[in-house]
Amino acid sequence: MPAQAPLRVLIVGCGAVVEEYQGPAAQEAERMGAIQVVGLVDRSEARLARCSKLFAQAQCFTDLGSACDADLALIATPARSHFRLASTLLQRGQHLLIEKPVCASTQEVRAMQAQADEAARMLAVGHFRRFFPAIETVRHMIANQTWGAVRRIVADEGGLFRWPAASAGFFTREEGGGGVTLDVGIHMLEILISWMGEPELLSYADDAMGGVEINSRASMRWPGGAEGHVRLSWDVPLANRYRIEFERATVTWRTGQATDLLIEIHGISEPQLMSCRQRHGLGPEHSLPTYGYLGAFTAQWLDVAHAIRTGGKPRVGTAAAGAGPALVETMYA
């Protein structure tokens, strides 16, 4: 339990991601004493009413200019609005946690970070999957060459779009900034870059036809020769898995699985299911399951609060998250 008073939080944008994930996770972080949500901002009174059920003590505002003061603000609006909102909130002296993608362009990412540095404020990006124990385990396997070098990664994510509270602006380039490549793909690319570094883009195709893309695919190559092949969709049910082909094993992570990995070791006929654990007590027999999907959002709230209190850096800042938007820009170009 933190010794200091909880950080005051302003949530800007009360759409689907806040209703489903960021809000309940913030509730848990409140219970742990790290934060306190004091204000909610959204142009829609209906969305405000739904989110206010999560935070009975928070004030509701339909205009950011009249919103209450806070230590930390979560920006959870369409990507095209992030830079404008971040500039306003940084001028008000607030630290920022910004939902992915951090901005719609790399130019905006650099300008936003420069403003945060000038204001001496922390800037974190909401890539909650980086807090999945399974994702961190794969990163260590790659870095330590547990199964040898990576030869190829094949990843796909997709299915029927099911965000019930998504706003109409989400599906326009003017507000959303792009389609499935920017929305789901930014998660995928950020994970791949955190594992392997920045790749060279070999090919990209989508079905935007002047609007936002619903399906896309790309191929890439990393220094050392490892290849990557990715596919994304908002309307086709895909396998929703990442297969990392090492020299001596293939590791499969399925999206949404915070703790589990499937490992196919070369020379062993049966695949092995691995579940990430945390030690409790003196021996491994007392281990407990690590936190799951929603717990990753809570872990990020705690990480951001800790970084603000200690003057440290969050696990996912713009240095880590900025490479993804740059790669998406190259894809769109």
Side-chain angles (χ1 to χ4, degrees), residues 136-149 195 246 248:
E136 278 297 287
T137 298
V138 173
R139 188 178 68 82
H140 287 300
M141 287 178 176
I142 293 172
N144 299 329
Q145 295 198 345
T146 304
W147 308 107
W195 284 346
F246 294 88
R248 299 190 298 274

Side-chain angles (χ1 to χ4, degrees), residues 10-252:
L10 180 69
I11 295 179
V12 182
C14 297
V17 71
V18 172
E19 286 187 54
E20 299 288 334
Y21 300 111
Q22 289 286 15
Q27 278 186 311
E28 180 64 11
E30 280 190 328
R31 188 190 66 80
M32 300 172 74
I35 65 172
Q36 180 182 1
V37 177
V38 296
L40 304 169
V41 183
D42 199 289
R43 291 178 296 184
S44 167
E45 292 187 0
R47 289 195 292 267
L48 280 173
R50 289 195 295 268
C51 282
S52 65
K53 295 178 182 178
L54 298 173
F55 309 104
Q57 305 302 316
Q59 295 178 270
C60 294
F61 307 91
T62 56
D63 177 65
L64 181 59
S66 59
C68 61
D69 195 17
D71 304 304
L72 167 66
L74 167 68
I75 297 179
T77 58
R80 289 289 187 190
S81 64
H82 287 183
F83 180 74
R84 172 179 55 82
L85 293 172
S87 298
T88 299
L89 291 163
L90 287 170
Q91 290 174 6
R92 293 173 55 162
Q94 297 176 15
H95 300 279
L96 298 180
L97 169 59
I98 304 178
E99 262 299 307
K100 61 81 189 171
V102 57
C103 283
S105 72
T106 53
Q107 182 179 2
E108 289 183 344
V109 174
R110 290 191 292 268
M112 184 188 293
Q113 185 60 63
Q115 290 180 11
D117 292 341
E118 184 177 353
R121 289 296 178 265
M122 186 217 66
L123 180 56
V125 185
H127 282 287
F128 71 96
R129 290 183 180 180
R130 284 285 296 280
F131 293 83
F132 282 1
I135 294 296
E136 278 297 287
T137 298
V138 173
R139 188 178 68 82
H140 287 300
M141 287 178 176
I142 293 172
N144 299 329
Q145 295 198 345
T146 304
W147 308 107
V150 175
R151 297 303 191 196
R152 186 172 72 150
I153 299 178
V154 179
D156 62 54
E157 288 197 50
L160 295 178
F161 189 91
R162 297 185 185 277
W163 279 106
S167 64
F170 185 82
F171 302 99
T172 67
R173 284 199 177 274
E174 291 73 22
E175 290 192 45
V180 68
T181 305
L182 187 63
D183 176 42
V184 180
I186 204 72
H187 272 310
M188 176 183 285
L189 296 174
E190 201 277 334
I191 289 172
L192 295 179
I193 291 170
S194 75
W195 284 346
M196 299 285 293
E198 296 182 42
E200 173 193 4
L201 183 65
L202 301 179
S203 66
Y204 173 79
D206 67 31
D207 58 1
M209 296 183 291
V212 296
E213 73 283 359
I214 305 301
N215 299 278
S216 68
R217 64 174 183 264
S219 296
M220 58 199 72
R221 182 185 296 121
W222 283 275
E227 295 182 354
H229 302 280
V230 304
R231 186 182 175 196
L232 299 158
S233 180
W234 268 347
D235 69 351
V236 177
L238 300 179
N240 288 294
R241 68 186 177 193
Y242 293 47
R243 285 178 58 84
I244 306 97
E245 299 175 7
F246 294 88
E247 291 176 312
R248 299 190 298 274
T250 296
V251 177
T252 299

Side-chain angles (χ1 to χ4, degrees), residues 272-297:
Q272 312 297 309
L273 179 63
M274 173 183 174
S275 181
C276 301
R277 314 284 285 184
Q278 58 183 344
R279 180 168 295 185
H280 179 73
L282 299 178
E285 67 272 13
H286 299 298
S287 67
L288 297 172
T290 51
Y291 57 78
Y293 193 92
L294 185 60
F297 283 91

